[in-house]
Amino acid sequence: MAERRVAIVTGAARGIGAATAKRLAEDGFAVGVVDLDEKQCAETVSAIESGGGKALAVGANVADAEQVQAAVDRIASELGAPTVLVNNAGVLRDNMLFKMSEDDWDTVMNVHLRGSFLMARAVQKHMVEAKWGRIINLSSTSALGNRGQANYSTAKAGLQGLTKTLAIELGKFGITANAIAPGFIATDMTKATAERVGMSFEDFTTAAISQIPVGRAGKPEDIANTVSFFVDERSGFVSGQVVYVAGGPKA
């Protein structure tokens, strides 16, 4: 990589986003570390910089068009034009359908779907100008349906449709778009799910592992490794795909 390319990772303060930001930095990218609270990004940025990488913490609500544009403009100005986008920001508002509020529904749709749309729209200009780009959207095995997650499942399935459409529209500019659908990954978000269903995280993890063919829980690094594959120069003929990173077949 003659010139350091710039990547943006949303929801990068912790979990999958933080692992992805660190991996992309290892791969030679300067990374815009985006999360709702800029201060929460400090740990990710520090880890990247201590490893000799370059990163910038940026606070933004991905569901807010003005904040998204401001974040992308700042990253372009301070790090350089972004040509890799990882839409990872996400929230949970799990509930059974009869108990799910409109706010539960709207919040999840806004962060996952509207947020990914706004980020992709803002960043694509830089990719088109560079005639090279990589967009990776984080879906989930929940896209196949999951009890208590009507909102989350719908949003994650929607991201697969967005991914395929971006691949079709942007392909002629040297831009690929792909989605990763993680299975059970041990993160703060899965801990929250365990609490929701009234289980200890240890029991919840054990139950999940019993259904996973490779016999272990996923780690954020498993997803980061797949992102690394998609953004690689050599992966330019892979586009519009959904890869289930779940320790076994899911779809």
Side-chain angles (χ1 to χ4, degrees):
M1 209 177 284
E3 177 182 326
R4 197 193 292 253
R5 283 182 168 140
V6 178
I8 295 177
V9 183
T10 67
R14 58 187 182 172
I16 290 170
T20 297
K22 291 169 192 172
R23 176 57 196 263
L24 290 177
E26 287 172 20
D27 290 346
F29 291 88
V31 186
V33 178
V34 178
D35 214 299
L36 199 54
D37 183 354
E38 189 172 313
K39 290 175 188 160
Q40 298 290 317
C41 300
E43 196 176 317
T44 304
V45 170
S46 175
I48 289 171
E49 290 177 342
S50 65
K54 192 172 181 184
L56 175 70
V58 180
N61 175 358
V62 296
D64 183 299
E66 286 183 12
Q67 289 188 39
V68 163
Q69 192 61 56
V72 172
D73 289 347
R74 186 179 160 205
I75 290 164
S77 170
E78 296 189 35
L79 290 181
T83 52
V84 167
L85 170 65
V86 182
N87 282 314
N88 168 73
V91 293
L92 288 176
R93 293 291 185 273
D94 293 353
N95 229 325
M96 297 299 285
L97 180 64
F98 74 99
K99 288 195 281 190
M100 186 173 286
S101 69
E102 289 94 335
D103 187 58
D104 290 338
W105 179 271
D106 292 343
T107 298
V108 169
M109 291 299 153
N110 284 341
V111 175
H112 294 268
L113 280 178
R114 179 182 166 90
S116 296
F117 154 67
L118 290 174
M119 288 298 304
R121 189 180 67 176
V123 174
Q124 59 83 31
K125 168 178 168 283
H126 298 288
M127 297 180 177
V128 170
E129 286 173 1
K131 294 186 169 52
W132 189 92
R134 300 284 190 262
I135 298 172
I136 295 96
N137 295 319
L138 267 292
S139 180
S140 168
T141 53
S142 292
L144 302 169
N146 200 25
R147 184 179 176 85
Q149 291 194 318
N151 48 6
Y152 188 77
S153 296
T154 302
K156 290 306 195 183
L159 281 171
Q160 297 187 15
L162 174 64
T163 298
K164 291 173 185 293
T165 302
L166 292 176
I168 292 166
E169 289 190 13
L170 301 174
K172 65 183 177 182
F173 302 108
I175 301 165
T176 66
N178 291 285
I180 299 171
F184 183 85
I185 310 292
T187 64
D188 288 343
M189 194 176 265
T190 45
K191 283 179 186 170
T193 303
E195 286 175 18
R196 175 179 67 84
V197 298
M199 291 176 75
S200 73
F201 189 53
E202 189 178 347
D203 288 345
F204 189 70
T205 302
T206 300
I209 290 171
S210 72
Q211 303 299 312
I212 299 172
V214 300
R216 70 167 175 87
K219 298 175 292 191
E221 290 75 19
D222 291 314
I223 307 307
N225 290 339
T226 312
V227 172
S228 181
F229 164 75
F230 279 134
V231 305
D232 193 280
E233 191 71 48
R234 294 163 291 190
S235 299
F237 204 55
V238 182
S239 195
Q241 302 307 302
V242 181
V243 173
Y244 284 81
V245 183
K250 284 287 179 181

